């Protein structure tokens, strides 16, 4: 069965420091991978996506992620965190195939706190 | 370009009642998916509609149902509400290709069952 694991429930970093949020997935074929961000009381905003091709993908707000098939990982990175990045981050996998249309499987999320 | 619009934003209902939530997708998007978000279970897929047909369904009881109209707007209905149905319900729309699920989410409807 497809699954997504975000090992870190909560991460605190200082403003200006670098950030890496971990994501591991379990899926038989090549997955479609996504990172979303959610501010309190809000919906999910798409940060970036990986479908195929270059394994390093750039997203909005200065985020990037690297797909590593050998490690089944899709970690999110940012070189310098801003206080406004404090939010909850979700990694998700979209299953391929006609029977899986419209379905995203999400990790449990990582809450990012930014210290001044 | 307007985003995904969900109404209402907040709802308070009593156990045993039923509720209908609405979702208007991004213009041109024909696929609408629904998710339930709770602190304990996280984000869980409810169902997906495309061209007025349910194509995919998650593992939820039959009390949860939905439909899609010809203009791609979608509604979900929960009957005989239980306290455990309290959650943030999120709708997502996508332009969709076969199995491709780049989804754009609405702000959600916060349902509280008392």
């Amino acid at each position: 069965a497809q699954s997504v694991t975000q090992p870190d429930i909560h991460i605190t970093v200082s403003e200006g420091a670098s950030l890496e949020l971990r994501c591991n997935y379990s899926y038989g074929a090549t997955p479609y991978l996504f990172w979303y961000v959610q501010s309190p009381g809000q919906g999910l905003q798409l940060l970036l996506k990986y479908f195929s091709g270059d394994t390093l993908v750039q997203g909005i707000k200065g985020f990037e992620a690297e797909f590593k098939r050998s490690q089944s990982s899709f970690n999110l990175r940012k070189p310098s965190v801003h206080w406004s990045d404090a939010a909850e981050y979700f990694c998700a996998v979209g299953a391929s195939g006609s029977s899986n249309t419209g379905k995203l499987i999400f990790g449990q999320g990582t809450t990012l706190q930014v210290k001044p | 370009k307007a985003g995904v619009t969900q109404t209402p934003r907040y709802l308070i209902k009593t156990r045993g009642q039923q509720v209908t939530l609405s979702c208007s997708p991004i213009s041109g998007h024909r696929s609408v998916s629904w998710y339930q978000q709770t602190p304990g279970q996280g984000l869980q897929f409810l169902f997906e509609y495309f061209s007025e047909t349910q194509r995919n369904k998650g593992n939820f009881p039959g009390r949860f149902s939905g439909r899609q109209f010809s203009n791609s707007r979608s509604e979900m209905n929960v009957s005989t509400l239980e306290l455990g149905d309290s959650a943030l319900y999120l709708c997502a729309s996508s332009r969709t290709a076969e199995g491709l699920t780049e989804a754009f989410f609405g702000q959600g409807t916060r349902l509280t069952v008392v």
Side-chain angles (χ1 to χ4, degrees):
Chain A
Q2 302 124 18
S3 66
V4 178
T5 302
Q6 294 180 245
D8 304 306
I9 296 173
H10 191 275
I11 282 183
T12 300
V13 300
S14 297
E15 190 169 15
S18 64
L19 171 70
E20 182 170 30
L21 302 182
R22 297 183 291 164
C23 172
N24 293 98
Y25 66 89
S26 173
Y27 186 66
T30 299
Y32 303 130
L33 295 161
F34 307 86
W35 275 99
Y36 285 89
V37 61
Q38 184 179 38
S39 298
Q42 301 298 311
L44 301 173
Q45 181 182 22
L46 180 65
L47 285 175
L48 48 77
K49 60 184 183 289
Y50 172 79
F51 289 160
S52 64
D54 193 345
T55 56
L56 183 63
V57 294
Q58 302 296 320
I60 62 171
K61 303 186 179 186
F63 286 93
E64 67 178 27
E66 186 171 12
F67 170 61
K68 292 185 178 180
R69 185 188 301 276
S70 61
Q71 299 176 19
S72 297
S73 69
F74 189 57
N75 294 348
L76 182 71
R77 300 193 294 247
K78 186 170 186 179
S80 177
V81 170
H82 188 263
W83 64 265
S84 60
D85 294 323
E88 189 160 19
Y89 291 79
F90 292 93
C91 181
V93 59
S96 61
S98 58
S99 64
N100 291 305
T101 52
K103 180 179 179 179
L104 289 172
I105 299 165
F106 286 89
Q108 286 297 96
T110 298
T111 299
L112 173 64
Q113 183 180 358
V114 180
K115 292 190 302 184
Chain B
K1 195 175 187 179
V4 178
T5 303
Q6 292 188 245
T7 56
R9 289 293 309 277
Y10 302 93
L11 267 177
I12 300 175
K13 290 286 188 178
T14 304
R15 271 181 304 173
Q17 288 186 314
Q18 73 166 15
V19 67
T20 299
L21 313 182
S22 179
C23 172
S24 294
I26 293 170
S27 178
H29 286 192
R30 296 169 64 191
S31 169
V32 174
S33 299
W34 289 88
Y35 292 82
Q36 181 195 65
Q37 185 178 25
T38 60
Q41 298 299 315
L43 282 151
Q44 294 186 289
F45 172 76
L46 280 156
F47 29 64
E48 186 249 1
Y49 287 86
F50 180 81
S51 292
E52 304 178 63
T53 300
Q54 186 184 89
R55 294 197 299 186
N56 201 359
K57 189 178 190 305
N59 189 27
F60 278 82
R63 300 186 297 107
F64 291 81
S65 63
R67 59 178 177 168
Q68 186 180 34
F69 302 95
S70 58
N71 61 358
S72 294
R73 189 177 71 86
S74 178
E75 291 180 346
M76 69 164 282
N77 183 275
V78 188
S79 62
T80 320
L81 283 165
E82 301 177 358
L83 294 179
D85 297 332
S86 294
L88 181 66
Y89 290 89
L90 292 164
C91 164
S93 78
S94 64
R95 190 176 298 278
T96 206
E98 190 68 23
L100 206 61
T101 52
E102 178 180 1
F104 298 88
F105 284 80
Q107 301 280 65
T109 294
R110 172 72 64 185
L111 172 64
T112 302
V113 182
V114 297

